[in-house]
Amino acid sequence: MTGQLFAIRFRATRPTELARFWSGVLGWDPAGEPGDGVALLPPGDAGFRLRFLPGAEPKTVRNRAHFDLTSASPEEQRRTVARALELGGSHLDVGQLPEEGHVVLADPDGNEFCVIEAGNAFLADTGVIGALACDGTQEVGYFWSGALGWPLVWDQDEETAIQSPDGGTKITWGGPPVAPQTGENRLSFELALPAGADAEAEVDRLVALGARHVGESEGVDGHVLMLDPDGNEFSVRRPG
């Protein structure tokens, strides 16, 4: 059985504070997690949760992935930016042009994100997190389409994007050039298998698609640790 996208995991210097920031920005409710982690649950039953886990080193390079938040109106965009700044976010200069309509910010841990202007057709009807925008190859877009069973909704000039058949957040990859990876990513995917699924068979399927199996997580949480074709870490939760 195909694994489902269970969570986007943030490795954070201060997980509780970072979860509080994103809870305030998104309006998502927190949930308890084992150990020092914190989770935020999306509204309704669909979509993925956010998990904030300890362990990040001080940030020195731009992340390979960031959120694009949507806006229904110019006023809503301004409110989202103001709320993020009040909660401890900051403006960020990544070379964006003055005439560009999106606003680039960093959360209190330095993770980049964008608040997109109203009227963006590509992100219409996706929800508050319109996209997880990733630095990555066309190959990795194809891999994740097969891994999650999400169809490609964009495939042009080596740029790719996928979206769940149920709608919601899109995951995009910008194509070359892809910045070299320096250390473990701060944001990563966590997949989950339904009860009764064969974890070994799913790992084998992901390897056949182009992933690498690199080990098992410590402790009793039952995670298989893997790398996608671009070398990005992800994990697969064993059922049960």
Side-chain angles (χ1 to χ4, degrees), residues 13 15 20 29 34 41 52 59 62 91 102 118 157 172 183 199 211 234:
T13 57
R20 187 177 299 118
D29 292 330
L41 304 181
F52 301 87
K59 195 167 184 299
R62 192 183 305 176
H91 282 283
H102 64 280
D157 300 326
T172 71
F234 70 99

Side-chain angles (χ1 to χ4, degrees), residues 15 18-19 24 31-32 52 55 59-60 79 81 86 127 155 158-159 161 166 173 179 198-199 216 224 227 230:
L18 193 60
F52 301 87
K59 195 167 184 299
T60 57
R79 286 196 299 270
V81 171
E86 290 169 1
D155 185 9
E158 299 189 69
E159 298 177 352
D166 299 323
W173 293 271
D198 185 335
E216 305 285 330
V224 181
L227 300 176
D230 277 0

Side-chain angles (χ1 to χ4, degrees), residues 14 17-25 69 79-93 103-115:
R14 299 180 301 277
E17 290 84 348
L18 193 60
R20 187 177 299 118
F21 169 85
W22 281 104
S23 177
V25 170
L69 307 185
R79 286 196 299 270
T80 300
V81 171
R83 184 164 62 251
L85 296 175
E86 290 169 1
L87 291 168
S90 57
H91 282 283
L92 193 62
D93 182 1
V103 179
V104 183
L105 301 171
D107 69 20
D109 222 22
N111 302 301
E112 307 87 358
F113 67 100
C114 294
V115 184

Side-chain angles (χ1 to χ4, degrees), residues 125-213:
D125 301 320
T126 53
V128 61
I129 303 177
L132 178 66
C134 306
D135 189 14
T137 62
Q138 185 181 53
E139 178 188 8
V140 86
Y142 291 168
F143 166 79
W144 281 110
S145 177
L148 296 175
W150 291 13
L152 287 160
V153 294
W154 182 265
D155 185 9
Q156 185 173 316
D157 300 326
E158 299 189 69
E159 298 177 352
T160 50
I162 62 175
Q163 186 180 32
S164 167
D166 299 323
T169 301
K170 294 178 178 178
I171 306 177
T172 71
W173 293 271
V178 177
Q181 190 173 11
T182 57
E184 190 175 353
N185 290 330
R186 282 180 164 233
L187 276 70
S188 63
F189 295 165
E190 181 177 331
L191 310 188
L193 295 173
D198 185 335
E200 281 66 32
E202 175 63 1
V203 169
D204 289 344
R205 186 184 73 89
L206 293 169
V207 169
L209 288 171
R212 284 199 295 130
H213 180 192

